[in-house]
Amino acid sequence: MSVIGTNYLGATHAAGMAEFGHHVIGVDIDSARVKTLNAGQSHIFEVGLEPMLERHTSTGRLRFTTDYTQIADWADVHFLALGTPSGSGGKTDLSQLHAAVDTLAPLLTKPALIVGKSTVPVGTAVALEQRIRRLAPAGDEIEVAWNPEFLREAYAVEDTMRPDRLVFGTHSAHALRVLEEIYAIPLTDRTPVVRCDLATAELIKASANAFLATKISFINAMAQMCQAAGGDVTLLADAIGYDKRIGRDFLNAGLGFGGGCLPKDIAALAVRADELGVHVLSDLIHSVEAINEGQRTELAELAIAQAGGDVHGKRVAVLGAAFKPGTDDTRNSPALTVADRLHAAGADVRIYDPQARLPPREGFTQVASVEQAAHRADITLHLTEWPEFRQIDPVALGELVRHKVIIDGRLKLHAPSWTDAGWKLVQIGRAGTL
Ligand code: UDX
């Protein structure tokens, strides 16, 4: 089989398929990335990925190429794992998917199954099938199925090898059989499978992300409520989370969601909902987005207020740059939005992250340790909840800063340890800390 596209999704899927025992060729237009992957190395930080790449590239079961002619005859199944970024107005930009199928299709002279993994607006799979059949010499013998991926960054390997569920979207019995053979190992492990039509498969992925985003915005709205009323949102989340119908996951209040998927995917779902006249859904999503954006604004404003109403010339220590712990990814990172706003307000921002490496940017100094970030800081911000930040000794850190004021934007620091060490600790939604 081939896997077209070798970023987070494609590289992990290709390695996972090899681990399931299949022979795989990964395809990408980026020759530098192909070279790295062929050497058994990963171009992204993802726990467990590199050992899998090493293992399977060394046996030849897994290879990477830039050349589509190598996969056209060789593979019966082609997975599409390309990026579907946001285009204008939040609408999905399908150009990578289109470019890939336009290159592959004219080379397809025998029956093949094309399996989409990317997150796409509902209706894309049917349109792609028509497009491929028009371009491929094998014509109607080419089938398209949709098998969305739910992997989380930092857990990509685990989620690929042991998925919560599999979704097989197809209108063909043959395609279904092929997918069942490909996923024989997780199916033997009793992984739940939803067999459905193409539109449902596309919508399942979009709604999973929209629901997760809604959970986060809901708890952040409740954090505002706790703040106003004098309650504690963490205890509230624990208590409602014990209800199995609700569950505790994704009820961590704080700076809200970011990353390469949730914000983009919910914006795309809202656009598609409007196109189809389902405005109740787009209205709901816009509220979720507004709450999420509000958390970033509020944190930046709080930092300014806590720094005496003006951060101009003040030193701000920012702990965390990645959009969540366990990854080096800073796409749409809430931490960076806050850091950017404080820089724009005139602050001298020093930022430390255990993994994320920022391209040089004006106004930011990226430093190599918590201590360097905190040196003579007027205010300290905890914005990405890396476990190592919970190990910080507030007494020792207190000796480095100019003012012992910290805003915990992720509600994960142990409040008594900080306050006992003489710090002013601010956590939105936890009574008594403001
Ligand atoms: C997400 C989905 O979880 C995954 O299924 C999908 O395939 C891709 O998008 P990912 O982007 O890796 O995965 O991040 P995720 O772990 O879902 O976190 C998203 C964001 O929500 C992060 O910024 C995180 O900090 C934030 N978050 C998460 C919260 O603010 N509170 C929570 O309780 C949980």
Side-chain angles (χ1 to χ4, degrees):
M1 66 181 64
S2 84
V3 177
I4 304 174
T6 62
N7 210 358
Y8 280 98
L9 169 58
T12 315
H13 185 66
M17 288 291 114
E19 190 81 11
F20 285 155
H22 304 299
H23 284 85
V24 184
I25 298 184
V27 188
D28 206 292
I29 50 170
D30 182 335
S31 53
R33 186 182 290 173
V34 163
K35 200 167 161 215
T36 307
L37 289 165
N38 268 330
Q41 290 161 1
S42 172
H43 57 295
I44 49 171
F45 172 72
E46 194 60 59
V47 177
L49 179 58
E50 205 156 77
M52 263 182 4
L53 289 168
E54 255 170 30
R55 199 161 44 246
H56 298 300
T57 50
S58 66
T59 62
R61 192 188 285 170
L62 174 62
R63 287 178 286 148
F64 294 90
T65 182
T66 54
D67 180 7
Y68 279 74
T69 59
Q70 284 192 26
I71 56 163
D73 281 341
W74 179 81
D76 302 315
V77 178
H78 303 278
F79 281 98
L80 301 175
L82 295 128
T84 47
S86 254
S88 64
K91 198 176 163 76
T92 308
D93 171 2
L94 294 171
S95 57
Q96 291 181 39
L97 266 180
H98 288 158
V101 302
D102 290 357
T103 311
L104 177 67
L107 305 170
L108 295 176
T109 53
K110 55 172 198 160
L113 175 62
I114 315 281
V115 186
K117 293 209 74 71
S118 313
T119 307
V120 291
V122 61
T124 303
V126 167
L128 273 185
E129 185 169 74
Q130 286 164 0
R131 191 177 178 115
I132 297 168
R133 287 181 171 178
R134 217 172 40 241
L135 295 170
D140 289 354
E141 290 181 311
I142 310 295
E143 292 180 323
V144 168
W146 221 259
N147 165 225
E149 186 58 63
F150 300 94
L151 60 81
R152 296 161 297 168
E153 287 181 30
Y155 299 93
V157 170
E158 190 184 319
D159 289 348
T160 301
M161 301 312 294
R162 279 171 293 281
D164 288 341
R165 76 301 213 182
L166 290 164
V167 173
F168 297 158
T170 170
H171 45 68
S172 136
H174 164 260
L176 197 57
R177 267 199 312 280
V178 174
L179 287 166
E180 285 170 351
E181 278 166 27
I182 290 171
Y183 287 103
I185 291 181
L187 289 180
T188 325
D189 289 345
R190 294 174 183 275
T191 305
V193 189
V194 177
R195 297 169 179 84
C196 56
D197 55 90
L198 290 166
T200 306
E202 294 166 316
L203 283 172
I204 287 171
K205 175 60 201 273
S207 62
N209 279 349
F211 192 78
L212 292 172
T214 304
K215 253 187 127 174
I216 299 170
S217 280
F218 174 79
I219 202 67
N220 281 331
M222 289 313 298
Q224 301 287 340
M225 199 62 185
C226 287
Q227 190 63 39
D232 185 321
V233 72
T234 309
L235 298 177
L236 181 147
D238 290 344
I240 62 171
Y242 284 125
D243 184 331
K244 287 191 191 64
R245 295 168 302 172
I246 296 174
R248 179 64 176 82
D249 290 348
F250 274 68
L251 284 182
N252 295 317
L255 250 189
F257 59 83
C261 290
L262 291 195
K264 153 182 100 65
D265 292 347
I266 65 170
L269 180 60
V271 171
R272 194 72 185 112
D274 278 335
E275 283 172 0
L276 295 170
V278 188
H279 303 298
V280 284
L281 179 58
S282 52
D283 288 349
L284 173 68
I285 293 170
H286 293 319
S287 296
V288 166
E289 291 173 326
I291 295 168
N292 197 50
E293 184 53 38
Q295 295 301 104
R296 301 181 188 199
T297 305
E298 189 180 348
L299 203 131
E301 284 170 1
L302 188 63
I304 294 170
Q306 291 293 328
D310 184 6
V311 280
H312 203 269
K314 300 248 168 91
R315 230 177 226 199
V316 179
V318 171
L319 307 184
F323 81 97
K324 67 174 187 179
T327 175
D328 60 356
D329 193 346
T330 57
R331 283 177 295 170
N332 202 336
S333 168
L336 288 188
T337 305
V338 172
D340 271 331
R341 294 210 182 141
L342 294 175
H343 164 61
D348 172 7
V349 177
R350 313 220 152 181
I351 192 158
Y352 168 69
D353 190 280
Q355 284 296 336
R357 296 288 157 265
L358 303 174
R361 42 203 287 162
E362 213 184 313
F364 276 24
T365 314
Q366 188 173 18
V367 294
S369 68
V370 172
E371 290 72 23
Q372 286 175 26
H375 182 67
R376 301 197 58 69
D378 293 292
I379 187 161
T380 302
L381 310 179
H382 173 240
L383 302 185
T384 310
E385 69 276 33
W386 285 94
E388 71 172 75
F389 296 151
R390 292 200 280 284
Q391 310 301 322
I392 293 172
D393 174 4
V395 175
L397 202 73
E399 281 159 21
L400 301 177
V401 297
R402 197 167 2 214
H403 295 292
K404 289 200 258 183
V405 180
I406 183 162
I407 301 179
D408 177 11
R410 293 293 179 179
L411 309 194
K412 289 287 181 194
L413 298 179
H414 184 241
S417 317
W418 289 83
T419 47
D420 289 353
W423 285 77
K424 177 173 188 187
L425 173 83
V426 183
Q427 294 176 310
I428 301 169
R430 302 201 76 185
T433 60
L434 256 186

